[in-house]
Amino acid sequence: MPQNEHIELFQKRYGFRMDYQERQRKKKAREHKLQSKMAQKLIGIKGKIFAKKRYSEKVQLKRTIKAHEEKKTRKKDEGKVPEGAMPAYLLDRENTSQAKLLSSMVKQKRKEKAGKWDVPLPKVRAQSEAEVFRVLKTGKSRRKGWKRLVTKVCFVGEGFTRKPPKYERFVRPMALRFKKAHVTHPELKATFCLPIVGVKKNPSSPMFTSLGVITKGTIIEVNVSELGLVTQGGKVVWGKYAQVTNNPENDGCINAILLV
Amino acid sequence: MISKRKLSESEEKEEVVHVLAQFKSESGELLESPIDLPLNITTENLQLICNAFVKKSDEEATPYTFFVKDVEVTSNLAAALKNALLDSEKVLEIIYQPQAVFQVRAVTRCTSSLPGHSEAVISVSFSPDGKQLASGSGDTTVRFWDLNTESPLFTCKGHRHWVLCTAWAPNGQTLASACKNGEIRLWDAQTGVQKGKPLVGHKEWVTWLVWEPFHLNPHCRKLASSSKDGDVRIWDVVLGTCLINLAGHQQGVSCVRWGGTGLIYSASQDRTVKVWRSEDGILCRTLQGHAHWVNTLALSTDYVLRTGAFEPAEFGRPQKTLTHEEAQEKALDRYNLVQKVGPERLVSGSDDFTLFLWNPETDKKHLARMTGHQQLVNDVKFSPDSRMIASASFDKSIKIWDGRTGNFITTLRGHVQAVYQISWSADSRLLVSGSADSTLKVWNLRTKKLHLDLPGHGDEVFAVDWSPDSQRVVSGGRDKVLKIWRY
């Protein structure tokens, strides 16, 4: 291997050979012969790697050819009318993208009845009880172990008061209680910090749902009144469901995606 | 017992205070000499007295509203004067305003949803006589609808982009429509066939179309159009040519109006309103004051210019066909009647959340600056009797202002999204508004409250219109259907 850029230096100083361009052209023209020879000759892992590389090159080539062809033909059908007609008084205004809420209220109600949602995260890792709860030892000599500490993020309703310690089986620490979530509207591509209304379903266990445990994949209900979504009847929609997309106990915040 | 009661009655009678009152019309003319009135006189009694004074023998009694010291008399005189100091030395002036003789009934139900358009309905408009209906849509078609059967009549294809605005000629025989490519096409309302060639010239989309007022020319030959490219063009629709190009705005023109005295008013995004003479295209004056785009204009005579020779009070009675000259005379009479209330006033709504009231024929300075909206003003309309102004804003409210002074009257709240368009009923007592929250709302201007909520649209309502014969309201929006509402 050359240790320095001798050839480049030489070419800079003295220029190319007189037949340099011609030789390059011929070399390039004959390259396919070398390629096919290699394709036939190489076996084993080398052959596999070579074949894969060649395959991806060919795909790339076809793609670019197709793109070029499309570019050429597109000019013909320019008379197409764009969708999303706007009245003249809205044409110069940018923030006209509006959440489409056509009859989504009805859809949501139907889904609510079935208890199933078409959610962005369909498969959620199940959380075992051992993972969510930690056993607290109680009693004077720390012998009893009936108390549980919730180690995940929780939503606790507004008017909740803790029970006296003797009767409190599940402890939900203050530090892990959340009231707000960052909810992304998938069509608007915008994120809002919205107050949580309740935990609709934690897929791991109905007990987690009733406790208000929020883990990845949990369906929460959020207050969307500030988004200004409207039903067909002209009423403001205020509660909508969202699915949690991160691990709140690790991140310290709840990120969710709105189910539209 | 009996004597006691009599005594108390007589005491009550003594308590009634009398004032010397003088009836006065809006324009300041005194009616008869001052009369002595008890303070507990009701509006009904005031009506009787006023009608007796005015004495129009051949007509039925005209309803009036009465104002004392800028307060409307709703129950009796004492209630209206409650807050004001009563000076017994002076004559109390009672200002009377004649109201429309006929009463429009509020629309309450949707009689038909007309599908047909395959894209959002952008503009809807009734013809000046209220017998025809046209709509323009994002699917590049203009459609005419039959109002008797509430069914489609004609589909007019020709435009190659969204049809942004439509305008009926004041004789009700032609419809002009303009698209986003800047073309204007004319359609025969009787057959649905295109009239002549398209009017080409605008380089950007057309924002507004307006016809020459009927009393200036009963043949409806001239049409003015404003465009995003900053020009206002006056077209001759018979020859299909551009007569005058009013260039002068530095940015897109958002709205254009043709006044009854032959002046053209144009509002632009360059923050000015310009006044042009329509005969020769000379710029008369530039009205400055707004701090941001001017979105919309309204004239106090808009309604009478729109309806031309058709009198809303006469709908439903047999109408004789008029010759051009007769019709023009009638239109002129109607125009002069509205002029009596005050000279032609112009109100402009802007992106700087304010409205300005102008007297554009004579004065460069504004009459009033109306503040209060918290978002841009999208639509402004004078009431048909030109006594009130309604302004619709993106701050979800509609505000009502006095049509002569520009004083704030009230705010109508109820919409939960931006209000796009409003339309008055012919008797100025009701108002309908269409909003982004997919509902229409009918407002009562007597109680100044929400009268009715009309849900039904599936998405934003872009256009709304109340027919001049007061029978129907039509609305269209992004959900592609046209809805007709009746009582």
Side-chain angles (χ1 to χ4, degrees), chain B residues 29-304:
Chain B
E29 292 147 25
L30 302 181
L31 188 68
E32 300 281 318
S33 51
I35 50 164
D36 192 43
L37 290 176
L39 259 188
N40 59 359
I41 188 168
T42 57
T43 38
E44 287 81 30
N45 293 336
L46 280 174
Q47 299 266 20
L48 288 176
I49 297 169
C50 199
N51 266 315
F53 279 160
V54 176
K55 253 184 260 162
K56 279 182 189 165
S57 56
D58 55 336
E59 281 178 37
E60 63 259 51
T62 323
Y64 289 99
T65 50
F66 300 95
F67 291 83
V68 283
K69 294 177 181 169
D70 295 334
V71 181
E72 191 182 340
V73 184
T74 46
S75 54
N76 63 22
L77 207 55
L81 280 170
K82 207 163 53 181
N83 301 344
L85 272 173
L86 192 61
D87 192 352
S88 54
E89 299 282 310
K90 280 183 185 162
V91 177
L92 182 70
E93 279 180 348
I94 302 178
I95 295 166
Y96 66 93
Q97 288 184 349
Q99 300 290 300
V101 185
F102 56 96
Q103 185 111 27
V104 171
R105 294 172 68 185
V107 289
T108 52
R109 66 202 167 93
C110 178
T111 50
S112 51
S113 307
L114 303 168
H117 283 296
S118 58
E119 258 289 349
V121 182
I122 293 174
S123 65
V124 290
S125 52
F126 281 104
S127 68
D129 57 358
K131 294 198 177 96
Q132 289 152 302
L133 171 64
S135 64
S137 155
D139 64 357
T140 74
T141 60
V142 174
R143 278 171 187 261
F144 288 89
W145 307 87
D146 183 18
L147 280 178
N148 290 324
T149 58
E150 303 196 345
S151 55
L153 197 60
F154 308 119
T155 307
C156 307
K157 288 174 187 156
H159 281 295
R160 282 183 298 229
H161 211 304
W162 310 338
V163 180
L164 291 180
C165 38
T166 52
W168 282 91
N171 61 5
Q173 283 162 6
T174 319
L175 180 88
S177 66
C179 72
K180 200 164 171 257
N181 282 351
E183 282 177 7
I184 301 165
R185 283 169 198 263
L186 300 152
W187 310 93
D188 191 329
Q190 257 69 48
T191 59
V193 178
Q194 191 178 341
K195 275 186 177 174
K197 279 190 292 186
L199 312 176
V200 186
H202 281 301
K203 292 180 279 297
E204 295 258 7
W205 66 80
V206 177
T207 51
W208 209 277
L209 290 172
V210 65
W211 288 81
E212 186 175 22
F214 193 72
H215 64 261
L216 296 181
N217 180 6
H219 301 287
C220 299
R221 266 188 90 154
K222 284 184 185 172
L223 173 75
S225 65
S226 65
S227 165
K228 171 76 178 129
D229 62 11
D231 289 347
V232 175
R233 281 171 189 263
I234 304 175
W235 308 86
D236 185 321
V237 298
V238 178
L239 299 176
T241 52
C242 176
L243 294 174
I244 306 169
N245 184 6
L246 308 174
H249 281 296
Q250 273 132 29
Q251 276 177 306
V253 184
S254 49
C255 183
V256 64
R257 295 277 179 186
W258 200 316
T261 48
L263 293 171
I264 289 179
Y265 312 108
S266 64
S268 162
Q269 291 177 342
D270 66 4
R271 311 194 305 278
T272 60
V273 178
K274 286 188 194 282
V275 184
W276 316 81
R277 209 152 62 207
S278 63
E279 301 95 61
D280 44 14
I282 284 172
L283 176 65
C284 299
R285 57 188 68 83
T286 304
L287 311 178
Q288 284 172 324
H290 280 297
H292 207 324
W293 298 350
V294 188
N295 291 327
T296 176
L297 290 176
L299 281 172
S300 59
T301 52
D302 259 350
Y303 205 80
V304 71

Side-chain angles (χ1 to χ4, degrees), chain A residues 54-71:
Chain A
R54 222 170 153 207
Y55 171 74
S56 63
E57 271 169 12
K58 277 188 176 173
V59 168
Q60 194 61 45
L61 194 71
K62 271 186 185 162
R63 255 186 212 159
T64 43
I65 288 170
K66 208 175 178 187
H68 277 295
E69 265 171 10
E70 250 177 36
K71 218 187 236 171

